[in-house]
Amino acid sequence: MRSPILLTSVVYTWLALTLQLASADIVVENDLINPEEIFDFIVLQDSNHWWLSPNTTQYFCVMRGLWNPYNHPKKFPNLARVSNPLIYTSSKQYLPWLINRATTWGVEKIAETGFTDTFKVEARAAGRMVNDLQEGKGFFVDQEDPEKNYAYLPGIKVTPDYPFLSGIAGLMPTPDWFTGFYLLDVIDEYDRTFWNRILIHTYPWDSGTDAGDTYMSVDQDLDPPRNVERITPKNAPNGIFLSPDGRTVPPVAEWDCVLHVCEEGEDDCQPDNWPPENGCDMLKYPGCELECDPEFDEVCEECKPKPKLIKLGAAPDENENGRTFYRSCCQSNHEPLNGMCTPGWRSPSKGGTGADDEGTSKKDGRSFWRPFRSGSGAASNLSTSSLVSTMVLMGMGLFALIY
């Protein structure tokens, strides 16, 4: 018979390891890549949408710019711009760029000029390797209020044969630097369901096609080109992209994607409020697209109205009083009537959004929300099934050790 002390020690060890797994950073197995080399998972939320469902399945994404003088102060350019972001779904064979490999001409054009036409031509030429490709609208970096740096993307279709999501955007002006990710598997390997919400951070990359080492370097094409490499503190050119303390290279973009499933028989359904009329970031600030009534809502701010387009020959709207109210002007992409939105502002309300699915990322404490479809599984960094599977396997090892 085994010693009770040994048994107790093994049980405590098993529990400690299990708790460590549950509280660790998000880890997702991928046989094709090491995700931590390409991007950081911030939020993964389970769903109950089976991977072989016949319903058309899409993700609707917001790409947020984290590249700004507060995160990357060294020689930050005055007129910084993020090019039109692209997202695409593909088979595992389609790899226009890959760490430690030479890139394609389409990626080179995005990295050096921000133009996406060549990349889109290459994607069409790839035939059945690419399932869908969508393009958002780029933006100039607002250095006074980084909260305004984001772009909505149209819905991107995924299927069991094309479960890999990738994205790319150029950083202007730079010699050949860009950000992006590739081969993100949108299907949970363990319970075979689509992820309900995916939020990742991506970093700056050097496409290896130009020798420039400053934002405003003159064109110096490399022939032959070098391999693509991620920019890190060890190779950051002239300290560009380093954090204020010079120790790290912070992420330059955040990609936030939510699942949207069409009704049976629908091929191309769209959410009614995507993107919202006021253009606010409704994934980050749920409810920001909804106006409020100061007579009935406890939290309701009066905001500066957006200028309306002048229509020649149209009669003025006599019912328009020119007043606009939202729960938070800054979150709703408006300036408050009194004061202004500044970096670091916070919502005046910490109340709930009325959404069915809410949770918190264990990694950064951020609230997140399911905007389109209710009834999804509980939010978590680790899928429930993966945690249970691990506990079962560790339990088997425990009994083998005891007996």
Side-chain angles (χ1 to χ4, degrees):
M1 183 176 179
R2 300 284 184 178
S3 166
I5 297 177
L6 174 60
L7 175 60
T8 303
S9 175
V10 172
V11 169
Y12 278 131
T13 301
W14 174 57
L15 289 174
L17 289 173
T18 302
L19 291 174
Q20 182 181 3
L21 174 64
S23 62
D25 290 347
I26 301 171
V27 177
V28 176
E29 292 187 14
N30 188 319
D31 294 335
L32 304 175
I33 62 171
N34 293 321
E36 63 275 9
E37 293 181 349
I38 316 302
F39 51 83
D40 286 342
F41 281 111
I42 306 301
V43 170
L44 276 180
Q45 184 180 11
D46 290 324
S47 81
N48 55 11
H49 183 50
W50 181 240
W51 73 301
L52 293 178
S53 168
N55 298 52
T56 298
T57 303
Q58 303 174 85
Y59 280 92
F60 284 80
C61 304
V62 170
M63 184 268 200
R64 303 186 187 101
L66 304 181
W67 179 46
N68 58 59
Y70 303 96
N71 295 332
H72 314 88
K74 187 70 175 291
K75 301 180 181 179
F76 195 85
N78 292 328
L79 288 177
R81 187 177 187 276
V82 176
S83 74
N84 289 2
L86 295 176
I87 52 173
Y88 51 96
T89 51
S90 66
S91 65
K92 62 183 180 181
Q93 287 80 17
Y94 186 66
L95 291 167
W97 67 280
L98 183 66
I99 187 171
N100 297 328
R101 296 289 187 275
T103 186
T104 67
W105 190 28
V107 173
E108 177 181 350
K109 297 296 285 185
I110 290 177
E112 293 190 6
T113 68
F115 295 137
T116 60
D117 291 348
T118 302
F119 188 98
K120 290 185 288 187
V121 169
E122 290 179 348
R124 287 193 293 269
R128 297 183 63 181
M129 287 191 294
V130 177
N131 178 55
D132 194 11
L133 184 148
Q134 298 293 341
E135 183 171 13
K137 185 178 180 180
F139 52 86
F140 284 96
V141 175
D142 190 319
Q143 301 189 30
E144 295 183 356
D145 186 3
E147 290 279 345
K148 295 180 179 178
N149 299 327
Y150 57 89
Y152 275 88
L153 290 128
I156 187 83
K157 292 181 179 179
V158 293
T159 71
D161 293 327
Y162 298 96
F164 297 107
L165 181 66
S166 305
I168 187 171
L171 306 174
M172 305 291 112
T174 63
D176 61 343
W177 304 331
F178 69 100
T179 189
F181 63 98
Y182 55 84
L183 293 186
L184 193 164
D185 193 345
V186 298
I187 297 174
D188 186 336
E189 181 180 2
Y190 292 95
D191 60 17
R192 308 310 295 168
T193 57
F194 287 93
W195 293 112
N196 192 49
R197 184 169 185 181
I198 302 167
L199 192 152
I200 64 171
H201 283 172
T202 60
Y203 293 84
W205 292 78
D206 188 329
S207 70
T209 59
D210 191 286
D213 58 2
T214 67
Y215 284 119
M216 304 300 294
S217 292
V218 298
D219 190 29
Q220 304 175 56
D221 285 341
L222 288 171
D223 189 15
R226 303 191 189 110
N227 291 335
V228 175
E229 64 178 0
R230 177 170 157 177
I231 295 176
T232 67
K234 294 182 179 180
N235 64 8
N238 291 306
I240 291 174
F241 292 116
L242 289 180
S243 59
D245 62 11
R247 296 180 180 180
T248 64
V249 171
V252 295
E254 182 173 84
W255 306 73
D256 193 353
C257 299
V258 290
L259 182 67
H260 184 56
V261 182
C262 296
E263 298 292 336
E264 190 171 351
E266 285 188 276
D267 181 57
D268 190 22
C269 61
Q270 299 286 329
D272 293 335
N273 56 349
W274 189 271
E277 185 176 351
N278 66 355
C280 72
D281 187 347
M282 56 185 279
L283 295 190
K284 189 172 185 179
Y285 301 112
C288 67
E289 77 282 11
L290 302 175
E291 295 191 50
C292 60
D293 188 332
E295 294 185 7
F296 300 99
D297 298 310
E298 181 179 353
V299 178
C300 194
E301 292 185 337
E302 183 169 2
C303 315
K304 294 178 182 178
K306 297 282 187 180
K308 292 185 176 294
L309 295 176
I310 298 176
K311 298 182 180 179
L312 296 178
D317 188 351
E318 297 179 355
N319 297 324
E320 180 61 56
N321 60 17
R323 303 184 73 183
T324 302
F325 295 90
Y326 287 97
R327 289 175 56 195
S328 169
C329 297
C330 295
Q331 288 181 358
S332 301
N333 202 24
H334 284 71
E335 289 289 338
L337 193 63
N338 299 308
M340 61 183 296
C341 300
T342 57
W345 56 260
R346 292 292 183 267
S347 168
S349 170
K350 295 183 180 179
T353 65
D356 292 326
D357 302 315
E358 290 188 66
T360 302
S361 164
K362 295 174 184 174
K363 191 166 183 178
D364 64 359
R366 174 180 307 175
S367 295
F368 55 97
W369 161 73
R370 185 70 191 93
F372 304 137
R373 180 175 56 83
S374 61
S376 299
S380 62
N381 282 349
L382 292 166
S383 69
T384 304
S385 59
S386 64
L387 181 58
V388 171
S389 300
T390 304
M391 292 176 67
V392 170
L393 290 174
M394 295 177 71
M396 293 172 62
L398 169 66
F399 286 117
L401 178 61
I402 297 174
Y403 297 105

